[in-house]
Structure formats: structure tokens, C-alpha cells
């Protein structure tokens, strides 16, 4: 039996699963769970101390699912408590705050922490990840846009949701899709079902869009050395255009990346004799 496979009493009927929340402190993990389970929102920040545990029941198709939710503290101080709880998990709610770039950039470190604690026999492929871009109600402070978050999530085969624990937007949809995906995973022998979006663009396209977003100038964006010749600029441009052309690439953010590349090439060619 696969390491992450849930305990099942009777095939087709009840199922017991374990889900955990992950992400930096104060991004809204506990509020998302509270919004779904208790239909309420608490605006005062009450940091989770170590772990909060809860049980809930949900119905997915003909199955009754008993869900054990482990809501983890995001503060680094609680690492020693968290690391006990990563194993035997079927689903992860991975949260960042759209107004806190750091919390988005920390997602990779959260995956790394989980991977390390699962050890060499742990398999992250058997786990459903639902990435929540939370606090979308705070529109004024938003600094991580939808395409950036969606690209990060979908290029890894993760689900992506825009959520607000405050207004409730996206929360029910997230949990419903999350639970259905976990049941699909269990029925698929413990393998994560391939989502349409994750199959529709390549890792190279996703990595290139991310690189373009983070590039420091037009040279960097085209991936050529400062002072490169017209030929070199055009060659680099053609390669990126083929990869990112809107007719060929449906990855989130590809249109903006394509436009940025066109503009970078125009700007560089103006100044090269
Ligand atoms: P730790 O337990 O410390 O890891 O934090 P957490 O991720 O569980 O954060 P928590 O759910 O406690 O929320 C942190 C703060 O953000 C609280 O003051 C919440 O009221 C607020 N908050 C959570 N979700 C939202 C949201 O969607 N919108 C807004 N505006 N505030 C939110
Ligand atoms: Mg909490």
C-alpha cells in the first residue's frame, strides 16, 4: 500500500483522510478553515500555537469522508511541532497572502520543509495541493497578481484558488474541488489526477515566464549579454516568441510575457547600430 494512502473501511463508502494547512504566519490559514467549518470570520489575529486539530465530515459522490484537519502554525518557532505532522497526509492547503510578496516567495520553502520531513520514502506526488491566494478582498495592497500565483501552482500540478476568508469568496469552491480531487486521487490508486491546466503548458514555458517577470533589464529579459549584436538579439527574440506566442502558449501570464519580450527587443534594437 502507498505510504500516503488513506485508511478505508468499505470501498465506495466511507473514507478517512488527513489534510494539513501550510504557509507563513498570518496569511489566513486558520481563518480559511474557520470560514468553511464555522461560517464566520475573526478579524483579530490569534496566532496558532503549534497545531490546531479538528474533525469534519463531508460527502463526495457516494462517499462519506471523515476529514482530520491539522491547522499548522506558520511561525518558524513552531518548526519542531510541525515536523511531526507532515506524514500520512492526502491533502495540503497551501496559503499565501496576495499582499505579502514574502509569503508567496516562501511557498517553495514550505514544500521543501514538508519534503524533508517526509524523508526519502515520502512521496509528494501522492498529495493534492490546493494553493490559496488569500486576502483578495484587500485589493489596495495586492502585490502578487493572479497569473503569477496561478502559474506557480499549475506548473506544479497544484490546484489554484483566489480566496478571501473575510468575505468567503472562493472558500467553498476551494474545499469542494480539493475534497473531490482527494477522492479522485484515492480512486486513482493514490496518484494525483492530471488536471487539464497542468497538462496544457510545459515547464519550460512556465520557467521562462517566471524568468521574464524577474528579469532586471531588456538584455536580461532576452537572455543575452549586455552589448549583444542585432543578430543575437533577434535570435534570442525568435526563440522566446516561438515559446510564448499567444497562439501556442496558454500558461498564465504568457500574453504579458510575450508583450514584454516584444518591447524589450524593440528597445534594444533602437540602440544597436
Ligand atoms: P498562524 O496561525 O500564525 O500561522 O497564522 P494564520 O495563517 O493561521 O493566520 P490567521 O488565519 O490567524 O489570520 C491572520 C490575520 O489575517 C487575522 O487578523 C485575520 O483576521 C486576517 N485574515 C485572514 N484571512 C483574511 C482575509 O481573507 N482577508 C482579510 N482582510 N484578512 C484576513
Ligand atoms: Mg493559524
Amino acid at each position: 500500500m502507498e505510504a500516503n494512502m488513506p485508511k478505508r473501511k468499505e470501498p465506495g463508502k466511507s473514507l478517512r483522510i488527513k489534510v494539513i494547512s501550510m504557509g507563513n504566519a498570518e496569511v489566513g490559514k486558520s481563518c480559511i478553515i474557520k470560514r468553511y467549518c464555522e461560517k464566520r470570520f475573526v478579524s483579530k489575529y490569534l496566532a496558532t500555537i503549534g497545531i490546531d486539530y479538528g474533525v469534519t465530515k463531508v460527502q463526495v459522490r457516494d462517499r462519506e469522508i471523515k476529514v482530520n484537519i491539522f491547522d499548522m502554525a506558520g511561525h518558524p518557532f513552531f518548526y519542531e511541532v510541525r515536523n511531526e505532522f507532515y506524514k500520512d497526509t492526502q491533502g495540503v492547503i497551501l496559503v499565501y497572502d496576495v499582499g505579502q510578496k514574502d509569503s508567496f516567495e516562501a511557498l517553495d520553502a514550505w514544500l521543501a520543509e514538508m519534503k524533508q520531513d517526509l524523508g526519502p520514502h515520502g512521496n509528494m506526488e501522492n498529495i493534492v495541493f490546493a494553493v490559496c491566494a488569500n486576502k483578495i478582498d484587500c485589493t489596495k495592497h495586492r502585490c502578487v497578481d493572479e497569473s503569477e500565483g496561478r502559474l506557480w501552482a499549475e506548473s506544479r500540478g497544484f490546484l489554484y484558488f483566489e480566496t478571501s476568508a473575510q468575505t468567503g469568496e472562493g472558500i467553498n469552491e476551494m474545499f469542494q474541488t480539493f475534497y473531490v480531487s482527494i477522492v479522485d486521487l484515492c480512486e486513482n490508486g493514490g496518484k494525483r489526477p492530471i488536471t487539464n491546466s497542468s497538462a496544457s503548458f510545459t515547464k519550460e514555458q512556465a520557467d521562462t515566464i517566471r524568468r521574464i517577470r524577474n528579469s532586471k533589464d531588456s538584455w536580461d529579459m532576452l537572455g543575452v549579454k549586455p552589448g549583444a549584436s542585432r543578430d543575437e538579439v533577434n535570435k534570442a527574440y525568435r526563440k522566446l516568441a516561438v515559446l510564448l506566442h499567444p497562439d501556442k502558449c496558454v500558461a498564465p501570464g504568457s500574453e504579458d510575457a510575450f508583450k514584454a519580450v516584444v518591447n524589450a527587443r524593440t528597445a534594444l534594437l533602437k540602440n544597436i547600430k
Side-chain angles (χ1 to χ4, degrees):
M1 192 159 140
E2 296 277 357
N4 292 325
M5 283 294 278
K7 294 175 181 62
R8 208 189 292 185
K9 276 193 209 149
E10 207 187 321
K13 293 281 176 262
S14 68
L15 195 63
R16 190 145 57 95
I17 63 169
K18 174 182 168 186
V19 307
I20 62 173
S21 68
M22 246 162 61
N24 277 10
E26 234 176 304
V27 294
K29 300 179 292 299
S30 303
C31 285
I32 287 174
I33 294 168
K34 203 165 268 151
R35 164 61 74 187
Y36 180 71
C37 296
E38 298 172 24
K39 313 272 175 271
R40 67 192 181 102
F41 176 72
V42 182
S43 59
K44 188 165 179 268
Y45 174 41
L46 297 163
T48 303
I49 307 299
I51 301 273
D52 272 344
Y53 169 70
V55 188
T56 181
K57 278 193 182 145
V58 292
Q59 185 78 26
V60 176
R61 299 191 287 263
D62 62 337
R63 288 173 184 269
E64 185 179 85
I65 318 291
K66 187 175 170 197
V67 188
N68 293 284
I69 303 184
F70 293 80
D71 176 26
M72 306 240 220
H75 197 282
F77 180 77
F78 295 110
Y79 169 70
E80 295 295 335
V81 184
R82 283 197 302 269
N83 69 7
E84 298 290 313
F85 289 90
Y86 284 116
K87 58 183 183 302
D88 302 324
T89 296
Q90 283 80 44
V92 175
I93 301 167
L94 184 55
V95 186
Y96 67 92
D97 173 348
V98 295
Q100 294 285 339
K101 189 91 177 168
D102 287 2
S103 70
F104 174 64
E105 285 166 353
L107 296 180
D108 282 312
W110 282 103
L111 293 183
E113 179 176 306
M114 179 171 196
K115 200 169 171 50
Q116 185 184 338
D117 289 332
L118 289 180
H121 303 299
N123 188 354
M124 307 272 279
E125 296 304 308
N126 291 349
I127 299 168
V128 174
F129 284 85
V131 176
C132 294
N134 194 40
K135 306 199 189 182
I136 56 165
D137 56 285
C138 300
T139 44
K140 269 197 202 143
H141 300 112
R142 183 155 190 169
C143 60
V144 185
D145 67 26
E146 179 176 351
S147 64
E148 199 173 355
R150 193 177 278 286
L151 181 69
W152 187 91
E154 293 183 351
S155 61
R156 287 164 176 78
F158 298 171
L159 302 167
Y160 172 85
F161 300 91
E162 299 252 301
T163 60
S164 166
Q166 188 191 64
T167 65
E169 194 177 340
I171 303 287
N172 281 346
E173 186 204 345
M174 183 278 286
F175 274 100
Q176 274 157 19
T177 311
F178 181 55
Y179 290 140
V180 168
S181 299
I182 293 174
V183 172
D184 287 347
L185 173 133
C186 298
E187 292 175 352
N188 196 31
K191 290 200 187 69
R192 199 189 297 155
I194 294 175
T195 59
N196 287 338
S197 45
S198 67
S200 57
F201 56 89
T202 64
K203 184 168 182 305
E204 188 187 8
Q205 287 172 325
D207 289 346
T208 305
I209 293 167
R210 209 168 295 125
R211 191 187 62 69
I212 287 168
R213 278 175 180 279
N214 295 330
S215 56
K216 56 181 191 299
D217 55 29
S218 299
W219 303 107
D220 193 27
M221 187 174 289
L222 289 186
V224 293
K225 288 202 193 89
S229 66
R230 291 183 83 85
D231 269 0
E232 284 168 324
V233 167
N234 279 326
K235 207 171 148 197
Y237 164 77
R238 275 194 298 274
K239 207 173 148 203
L240 289 170
V242 168
L243 196 66
L244 299 176
H245 194 280
D247 288 349
K248 302 217 172 70
C249 183
V250 295
S254 58
E255 219 169 299
D256 286 347
F258 181 73
K259 278 187 210 148
V261 165
V262 171
N263 291 340
R265 174 194 182 228
T266 310
L268 290 180
L269 290 183
K270 256 190 206 159
N271 296 313
I272 300 174
K273 301 231 167 64

